[in-house]
Amino acid sequence: MSGAQRATPGGARQGGAQPGGTQQGEPQPGVAHQQGGTRADRPFGFRYLGPLLLGSTLNPINSSMIATGLVGIGTEFHLGPGQTASLISVLYLFSSVMQPTMGKLASLFGPRRVFIAGILILLAAGIVGALAPSFGFLLASRALIGIGTSAAYPTAMAMVRARADRLSVGVPSRVLGAFSIAAQVTVVVGLPLGGILVGTLGWRALFSVNIPLALVTLAATLVGVERDAPRPSGPWRELVRLLDLPGVALFGGAVAALLVFLSGLGDPAWWLGACAVVVGGVFVWRERHASSPLIDVRALASNGPLQRTYTRQLLVGLGMYACMYGMSQWMEQGRGLTPEVVGIVMVPLSLVSIVVARLVSLRGWVRMPLVLAGLAFLATAVMMVSANGSTSIAVLVLMTSLLGLMNGFGGFANQTALYMQSPADGIAVAAGLYRTFSYMGAIFSSSLIGLVFGARATDPGFHSLAWVLSGIGGAVLVMTLADRRIPRVAA
C-alpha cells in the first residue's frame, strides 16, 4: 500500500473491525475487477445502493428547496430577506461541521448505525419544521436537517468501500458515478420540487416533506443494507474520548468563522478572518497531540495527493456555483430573459453533467476528466467574455452545456480520486471533509458574485466574472497536469 493510501484525514491512529456482515446470497470474495467496473459493480444492486443514494441527496435537496419558500416564511413571521436567508446559511454551517464529525462517529459506532441515526434526526427535523410556531423553531429544524443529512454521504462512502474491499472488487467506478449522477439530478429536482410544494401545500411542506423521505429511506436501509459488524463495547467515558469533542468544537469554530468571513467579502469582517486563522491553528495543534483526533492532521500533511484533491474540489465548487448563479442572474438582468426561459436554458447544465458522469464512470477514467474539466472551464469563460445583451438563446445553451461538461468531468473524477487516496478506516472522515470543502466553495461563490456584479448583473460584471473563472479553470488544469499522483484510471 502506498503512502498516499495509508494517509487519512481521520481515524488513522486507531484500528477496529470493518463494517461487515454478509447477507444471504451475497457474491463471494474473489470477484475479478475489470476496467469499467462491469463485474465489480454487481454486488451493488439497487436494493443495497438505492437507500445510500437517496440518503446522499437529502442534503443538497434541502439546500435548494428552501429558496422557493423564503418569501412566504418572511411574510408569515414578518421578517426581511436578510433574516430569512439565515435558513440557508444555518444548514450550510451545520453541514460543513458535521460531515467529518459524522464520519468520525461512523468509524467508532459503524457507518450503518450512524446512517440510520442521521435519518431519524432528519425525521425529527421535519416534524419540528412542519409544526414550527415561530421562526426560531425553523432555524432549529434547519440545523437538525444539516446534522441529520450530513451523516449520509460519509457513511455511504464507508459502506461502499467496506463492501468493495471485502469482496475484492477493486474500485467500483460505476457506483461512484451513480453518486455523482445523483448529485446532478438534485440540481434538476430541488428548485422545481420546492416550487411545486410551496405552490400546492404552502412553505411548511418544504419541512414536512422530509418526514416521508426519511421514512422511505429508513425502511429501505433496514431492508437492503446489511448490519454493521459488532463493535467492542466500552465505557462511555472512553467513547467520548475517542470522539474528540474538543477537536469537534475547535473545528466547528474555525469553519464557522471562515464561512461567515467568506460570505461577506463585500465588506469583510477582518476580525473573523483572524479568528478563523487563530482557532484553526489551535485546532491543528490540538489534533497533533490527540490520541484519537477528529482529523489526523499528521497523516493529512503527509498525503499530498489528498490535499490537492480537496483543493481542486474547492476550486470546482467555487467555479461551478459562481457560474450557475452568476449566469442565471445575468440572463435575467443583463440579457432580459424571463425566469422561465432562464430555467430552460440552464437545464442542459444538469443533463450534460449526468451524461458525462455516466460515460466516464463506465470507463473508470480519473486523470483525463480532470484535464477536460479545466479545458471546459476555460471554454465557458471565453464564451462568457464574448456574451452580451443580444447573445442568442442557442449560444447561451451552448455556454451552459460547456459548464455541464466541467461539472460532470470534475465531480466524478475528484470523488474517485478521494476514494482511491483514502484507506478504508479513514474514508468516512475523508468524504465528510471533501463535502466541507465543497460547501466552502459554494459560500465563497456568493461573495464573488456580489463583488463582480454589485447592485445589478450587467455585461461588464459578467465579463469580470468570466476572467475570474478563467483563472480558476486555469488553476484546475495546471494542478492536474502537474500532479503525477493522479491515477489514469480507477483500478
Side-chain angles (χ1 to χ4, degrees), residues 84-356:
T84 57
S86 61
L87 292 172
I88 298 175
S89 58
V90 72
L91 186 140
Y92 273 130
L93 175 59
F94 275 86
S95 298
S96 299
V97 175
M98 292 306 299
Q99 290 272 353
T101 303
M102 288 296 186
K104 178 68 173 181
L105 286 170
S107 70
L108 296 176
F109 299 103
R112 183 181 183 268
R113 297 184 184 96
V114 176
F115 187 91
I116 290 175
I119 296 172
L120 294 176
I121 293 173
L122 177 65
L123 178 62
I127 296 173
V128 170
L131 303 176
S134 66
F135 185 71
F137 280 86
L138 291 185
L139 287 174
S141 174
R142 291 286 287 179
L144 289 172
I145 290 173
I147 295 170
T149 58
S150 291
Y153 180 73
T155 57
M157 287 290 101
M159 285 186 275
V160 167
R161 178 64 177 268
R163 173 171 277 213
D165 289 351
R166 188 173 65 253
L167 301 178
S168 302
V169 297
V171 179
S173 58
R174 287 175 60 185
V175 174
L176 298 179
F179 279 95
S180 182
I181 291 170
Q184 304 309 323
V185 171
T186 304
V187 176
V188 179
V189 171
L191 286 173
L193 176 61
I196 293 172
L197 291 174
V198 172
T200 57
L201 302 174
W203 62 261
R204 289 184 185 272
L206 299 175
F207 295 86
S208 61
V209 71
N210 287 294
I211 298 173
L213 286 175
L215 291 175
V216 169
T217 307
L218 177 62
T221 303
L222 294 175
V223 171
V225 181
E226 72 267 27
R227 294 183 178 182
D228 296 320
R231 299 268 165 159
S233 60
W236 279 103
R237 180 175 297 180
E238 177 65 12
L239 291 175
V240 170
R241 184 192 66 80
L242 292 174
L243 182 55
D244 186 26
L245 291 179
V248 173
L250 289 169
F251 179 76
V255 169
L258 179 60
L259 293 184
V260 175
F261 173 73
L262 291 177
S263 66
L265 291 181
D267 184 19
W270 295 109
W271 67 272
L272 276 173
C275 182
V277 172
V278 172
V279 177
V282 175
F283 168 74
V284 171
W285 179 86
R286 170 67 176 71
E287 298 301 273
R288 284 176 60 87
H289 296 85
S291 59
S292 176
L294 170 66
I295 297 173
D296 192 340
V297 294
R298 292 179 184 272
L300 182 57
S302 66
N303 192 342
L306 187 56
Q307 293 175 36
R308 294 188 288 272
T309 294
Y310 286 145
T311 303
R312 286 195 309 271
Q313 182 58 21
L314 188 151
L315 291 173
V316 168
L318 170 59
M320 174 62 195
Y321 283 102
C323 275
M324 185 168 61
Y325 295 127
M327 281 181 183
S328 60
Q329 289 184 38
W330 172 79
M331 280 191 269
E332 281 194 51
Q333 298 180 342
R335 178 60 177 77
L337 302 179
T338 64
E340 293 79 8
V341 174
V342 171
I344 294 173
V345 173
M346 296 297 289
V347 166
L349 189 161
S350 296
L351 295 181
V352 172
S353 296
I354 292 170
V355 172
V356 167

